[in-house]
Amino acid sequence: MKKIIIANWKMNPDTSARAVALARECEQEIASAKGLDVVLAPPYPFLREVASVLTVSSLGAQDVFWEESGAYTGEVSVRQLKDAGVEYVIIGHSERRIVSGETDDMVRKKIQAVLEGSMTAILCVGERERSGGEIPAFVGAQVRSALGGIKKTLLKNLIIAYEPVWAISTTSGANGSCTPDMMFRARLAIEKVVADIYDQQIAKTVRIIYGGSVSPENIATIFSAGHMDGALVGSAGLNAEKFGMIVRNASGV
Ligand code: PGA
């Protein structure tokens, strides 16, 4: 399975000139990386301009709305994203669930709209508090809810990102980092839910990736000991040099 590295720029940088410059720098850094997919996900207003400078990476968006068109002030549809060159859409990021009050039901509608629109959906799931034992059942519940009613044939365009909320942007935080063992257990738990809803074969085709303080130093372990198929990168993705190192280290695994 081809590995994937996705940079989620969140609400950065502040101008389109800076976004284009960052995209160019990232492209230069990753030019030699082979055998894996790379996605850059800038804020909505910069999508088109960033798209125009991408040659190695693909374009991602950080959100979407499920309706096709109409009176939905501030929302952006699947078609509008496609028209801007977007191929991947991040859905249900914890910052959207927590800050913007996105519910499991909204996440499900977005997943459905993106998959039916033949784009790739990156479904984010993850527990809020660190727990010493088993991966909390609600990670499984988040996956189950997000996939409710989704046809099996659409799953080929699904990526599931395990992002424990407590491990996001906390390289030296009080919570510590997510261990490879926890990642692997999360992977198995997610796979089991997908296999329960669909079947074992489908579960093996869904890429399961990790997000939360991904760095050039930990990327190889995330793949080897964590058994992840890729990574969702936040802050390190805003530094082209670091991002380049992540991608290069990942392509060597
Ligand atoms: P981080 O963010 O890499 O800064 O921890 C990850 C994310 O929020 O997807």
Side-chain angles (χ1 to χ4, degrees):
M1 188 179 289
K2 212 170 175 188
K3 300 252 192 296
I4 185 163
I5 306 285
I6 302 154
N8 173 12
W9 289 1
K10 306 189 180 180
M11 205 169 72
N12 302 290
D14 52 356
T15 66
S16 69
R18 288 205 175 93
V20 168
L22 177 60
R24 277 192 213 278
E25 286 164 21
C26 288
E27 285 272 308
Q28 277 168 10
E29 289 286 339
I30 66 172
S32 62
K34 298 226 159 31
L36 80 177
D37 295 321
V38 180
V39 178
L40 303 184
Y44 281 155
F46 309 147
L47 285 171
R48 237 174 240 284
E49 277 182 273
V50 166
S52 70
V53 301
L54 299 187
T55 53
V56 183
S57 0
S58 304
L59 190 67
Q62 301 171 19
D63 190 27
V64 68
F65 193 61
W66 56 85
E67 295 290 351
E68 284 178 17
S69 63
Y72 302 104
T73 303
E75 302 293 359
V76 175
S77 73
V78 167
R79 268 216 199 158
Q80 290 167 335
L81 290 181
K82 252 189 172 173
D83 187 63
V86 170
E87 294 176 68
Y88 294 80
V89 187
I90 298 169
I91 296 170
H93 190 282
S94 57
E95 285 151 16
R96 292 207 55 78
R97 293 184 193 254
I98 295 166
V99 181
S100 310
E102 194 156 292
T103 64
D104 282 344
D105 193 47
M106 291 160 79
V107 169
R108 183 185 56 74
K109 287 180 184 158
K110 292 179 179 191
I111 293 283
Q112 180 146 16
V114 166
L115 294 180
E116 284 179 352
S118 304
M119 295 167 94
T120 298
I122 302 153
L123 163 66
C124 300
V125 294
E127 74 280 5
R128 288 197 193 183
E129 304 291 335
R130 180 174 191 145
S131 80
E134 286 308 300
I135 302 303
F138 78 81
V139 170
Q142 279 179 325
V143 173
R144 196 174 282 281
S145 157
L147 299 184
I150 308 270
K151 285 200 216 95
K152 183 171 163 173
T153 49
L154 296 176
L155 280 241
K156 61 181 186 303
N157 285 338
L158 178 71
I159 294 172
I160 300 178
Y162 171 59
E163 293 210 304
V165 180
W166 52 268
I168 292 178
S169 303
T170 57
T171 330
S172 55
N175 285 318
S177 52
C178 184
T179 64
D181 179 59
M182 293 175 87
M183 292 174 202
F184 187 38
R185 281 190 284 132
R187 182 196 173 98
L188 294 176
I190 292 167
E191 244 178 47
K192 188 175 179 314
V193 172
V194 179
D196 278 357
I197 309 172
Y198 301 94
D199 57 56
Q200 199 70 43
Q201 207 186 337
I202 289 285
K204 294 281 175 206
T205 63
V206 174
R207 283 194 278 196
I208 301 174
I209 68 174
Y210 170 78
S213 307
V214 174
S215 69
E217 291 75 33
N218 64 16
I219 187 70
T221 314
I222 290 169
F223 286 176
S224 56
H227 298 273
M228 288 287 163
D229 301 318
L232 184 49
V233 183
S235 50
L238 296 171
N239 178 320
E241 210 178 312
K242 268 195 194 168
F243 187 63
M245 274 157 71
I246 291 174
V247 172
R248 287 194 302 277
N249 290 352
S251 68
V253 180

